[in-house]
Amino acid sequence: MHKTIAIKLIGGLSDTSKMPGLSFGLPTANCITGEKLAKVPDSICSKCYAKKGFYKTYAHSVIPAQERRLAALNDPLWVEAMVVSLKRENWFRWFDSGDLQSLEMLFGIVEIARRTPHCMHWVATRERQFVRSFLMHNTVPDNLCIRVSATFVDVPVKPIKGVNCGNVHSKDARPTGYECPAPKQNGRCETCRACWDKSVAVVSYKEH
C-alpha cells in the first residue's frame, strides 16, 4: 500500500508542535468514559483541553479530521494503513484527543506496534476495562507504553498491574510521579521521552 493511500484511508494524522512525532486523535464526543466524566464537576474530563485552545480555534478542520479517523476504524485495512503511515516515525502518541473505542481497537494498536518495532508508541487512556481485558491473556509489546489516566487533579490514578500511569497535579501541588517538564519548555517535550518510557511508572502533568 502506498503511503499516500494509507494516510487517506486512516483519515490523516495530527502533527502536534509539542511532541517529537505524529499523533492520532478522535472526537471527544465519542469518549466512552470521558463523556460521562465530562458531566462530573471538577473531573479532568470536565475541563478537557481537547475542547478548548487550538482544538476549539481550528474546530472547522480538526473535528472533520477526527471524524474521518473514527470512521476509518471500521475499515479492514486500518491496521495495514497505520503500519504503512508510521514507517518513518520514531515516536507516536495515541489520543491527543479522544480515547479507545473498543477492545478490538486496542488489539489493533498492539498489532500496529508489533509491526512497527522501530517506533515507540504511547497510549493515554481512561478505558480501564479494555486494558484489563487485554492483559488477561496478552502482553504489551516493548515499544508500546500504555498510561492509564487520572480522573481528578491531585488524585493519583489507581494503577493496573502491567501498565503505567499518568497523573495531573495542580499549580501549587507536589507532582505525584515524574514531573512533565513541558510547562518549563514552552509547552514542548524537547528531549524528554518519559511518556513513552515504561521504566517511568508515573508521569505527573501540570493542570492546564
Side-chain angles (χ1 to χ4, degrees):
M1 183 185 295
H2 193 278
K3 185 175 180 179
T4 301
I5 297 174
I7 290 290
K8 184 176 181 180
L9 187 151
I10 61 176
L13 296 171
S14 302
D15 188 0
T16 50
S17 59
K18 170 187 173 182
M19 295 181 290
L22 302 177
S23 59
F24 184 92
L26 293 175
T28 56
N30 291 88
C31 289
I32 300 170
T33 298
E35 273 302 278
K36 295 176 183 176
L37 291 174
K39 300 177 178 63
V40 178
D42 297 323
S43 72
I44 294 171
C45 291
S46 70
K47 298 172 279 188
C48 181
Y49 71 86
K51 294 182 179 180
K52 55 187 179 182
F54 169 87
Y55 295 86
K56 186 174 182 179
T57 301
Y58 296 97
H60 62 284
S61 59
V62 172
I63 293 178
Q66 292 173 344
E67 291 175 340
R68 287 196 300 272
R69 292 182 205 118
L70 181 67
L73 296 178
N74 296 316
D75 194 302
L77 293 177
W78 181 72
V79 168
E80 177 66 26
M82 284 298 306
V83 170
V84 171
S85 300
L86 298 179
K87 276 187 175 179
R88 296 183 181 277
E89 297 300 316
N90 295 317
W91 307 93
F92 190 71
R93 177 182 178 179
W94 291 90
F95 310 123
D96 59 290
S97 66
D99 208 331
L100 287 168
Q101 297 297 296
S102 64
L103 176 59
E104 289 71 26
M105 185 182 185
L106 179 54
F107 270 101
I109 290 173
V110 169
E111 179 62 17
I112 292 164
R114 286 184 176 139
R115 292 173 59 182
T116 55
H118 60 280
C119 181
M120 297 300 294
H121 297 254
W122 158 37
V123 171
T125 182
R126 287 191 174 82
E127 305 303 340
R128 301 171 65 93
Q129 73 279 19
F130 298 145
V131 177
R132 284 202 194 95
S133 295
F134 176 84
L135 292 174
M136 286 179 66
H137 304 290
N138 305 276
T139 57
V140 179
D142 292 339
N143 65 324
L144 172 59
C145 181
I146 299 176
R147 289 193 181 277
V148 179
S149 303
T151 301
F152 294 97
V153 176
D154 295 329
V155 180
V157 64
K158 184 177 180 180
I160 297 175
K161 185 177 180 180
V163 298
N164 298 62
C165 299
N167 291 330
V168 177
H169 61 275
S170 56
K171 180 180 178 181
D172 300 317
R174 194 173 191 175
T176 50
Y178 172 83
E179 183 176 10
C180 170
K184 300 174 183 177
Q185 300 175 167
N186 296 315
R188 302 176 67 89
C189 296
E190 299 294 354
T191 59
C192 180
R193 299 293 183 270
C195 295
W196 291 266
D197 190 343
K198 287 187 175 184
S199 69
V200 182
V202 182
V203 175
S204 188
Y205 307 95
K206 189 174 181 180
E207 183 182 16
H208 63 283

